[in-house]
Amino acid sequence: MTSNGVSADPLAPLGALPGVDAAVSSVRDAVDRVYGHRVMRRRGTEVTAEAALRGARGSAALAGADWALEELRRRSDFGEGGEARTVGAALRLTAEVGGLLKVWPQSPMRVLARLHLVAAAEQDERVGRPRLAGESVDEPLIGLPVPGPSEVADRLEGLAAIVVAGSSAPALVTAAVVHGELLALRPFVSCNGLVARAAERLVLVGSGLDPRAICPAEVGHAEAGAGAYAAALEGYVSGTAEGVAAWIAHCGRAVELGARESTAVCEAMQRGAA
């Protein structure tokens, strides 16, 4: 995606790419099923809380901290370095999304800066702003070439303009593009994957597709595996119709797996096992 696209709504044509309409329909059906579960009427708040925890676990796993759920429940100190710091960042980001839903459509750059600040949780002049020339990127999962600061600035500006203008494209398409752009650009010196997945969550929730945040795509991305995640991103970065469509479908499948996870949570609650 470039900032000088000829279409007034550059995301709209993506909905017509081969396989995208089927992915959108499949996601809608999966989301509707879990929202229609009888447990949601009585214990929806608990399902949301559990989905948040599982989503954070999935995002952290893709960032190299693959902890069991019970470890996340048990721990209270995530201020240490290494994996604990990554898990803490994922938990903080998940908690932060709800408070940014109204700001995102008006000022996406402000939201991205806030997400990076929350994830990094440190006093550093590089935190909360796009990287400058000469600043390296710490994102080991993504091995694609890192765009330079000028390209990053232009494409972030284009992405922000699209978000502010709004799009007729399905929410899945918008969420996938936001996620893909942030991963492709890696605009910050750290935590780009965590921020990109939080931004995807923000779009899915804010669009109304998953208003109660019970279908954590992060769970699905982690379940599909880091290899599939990176390969799908390569398709997006290629810019081909097939590659972009495959990335959107990959993100759709992640939402479906997140919905399946929450359905299992609902079933466990119904049986009295949770």
Side-chain angles (χ1 to χ4, degrees):
M1 188 184 71
T2 61
S3 60
N4 58 350
V6 296
S7 173
D9 186 358
L11 301 190
L14 301 184
L17 292 176
V20 171
D21 184 62
V24 169
S25 296
S26 186
V27 165
R28 181 74 268 172
D29 290 344
V31 172
D32 286 347
R33 281 195 297 272
V34 67
Y35 271 85
H37 198 286
R38 62 189 302 177
V39 167
M40 284 298 299
R41 293 195 296 271
R42 297 177 289 107
R43 302 179 67 180
T45 300
E46 294 174 64
V47 177
T48 294
E50 188 65 20
L53 183 67
R54 293 173 185 237
R57 194 214 71 81
S59 191
L62 284 172
D66 192 0
W67 287 16
L69 271 174
E70 291 311 312
E71 181 69 6
L72 268 69
R73 297 187 208 280
R74 184 185 67 81
R75 291 284 291 267
S76 59
D77 179 13
F78 298 97
E80 302 172 4
E83 292 189 2
R85 187 180 183 89
T86 299
V87 172
L91 289 167
R92 290 192 300 274
L93 283 170
T94 300
E96 188 74 12
V97 164
L100 297 173
L101 292 171
K102 292 183 179 180
V103 184
W104 172 256
Q106 303 169 5
S107 185
M109 290 300 296
R110 178 182 164 194
V111 169
L112 293 176
R114 175 62 185 170
L115 290 175
H116 187 241
L117 185 66
V118 168
E122 60 185 355
Q123 296 296 322
D124 188 312
E125 63 179 10
R126 300 172 302 169
V127 172
R129 57 129 173 102
R131 53 188 166 78
L132 304 177
E135 293 179 342
S136 60
V137 175
D138 180 16
E139 196 66 47
L141 175 63
I142 308 301
L144 297 169
V146 180
S150 178
E151 181 181 353
V152 168
D154 287 345
R155 287 173 63 175
L156 281 179
E157 181 181 349
L159 181 64
I162 289 171
V163 171
V164 171
S167 175
S168 63
L172 172 64
V173 171
T174 302
V177 168
V178 168
H179 186 173
E181 280 293 286
L182 293 174
L183 272 184
L185 295 176
R186 282 148 289 165
F188 303 111
V189 295
S190 64
C191 303
N192 289 287
L194 293 168
V195 168
R197 290 184 289 276
E200 180 186 46
R201 168 184 281 264
L202 197 157
V203 174
L204 293 170
V205 174
S207 67
L209 176 63
D210 180 21
R212 299 184 70 175
I214 60 170
C215 302
E218 305 95 326
V219 168
H221 288 304
E223 186 172 330
Y229 186 65
L233 178 65
E234 286 186 28
Y236 175 81
V237 172
S238 75
T240 64
E242 295 80 4
V244 173
W247 169 251
I248 295 170
H250 180 85
C251 291
R253 181 58 179 159
V255 177
E256 290 184 59
L257 290 171
R260 187 181 71 178
E261 183 90 351
S262 286
T263 298
V265 169
C266 288
E267 293 294 328
M269 289 181 176
Q270 187 167 279
R271 294 192 307 268

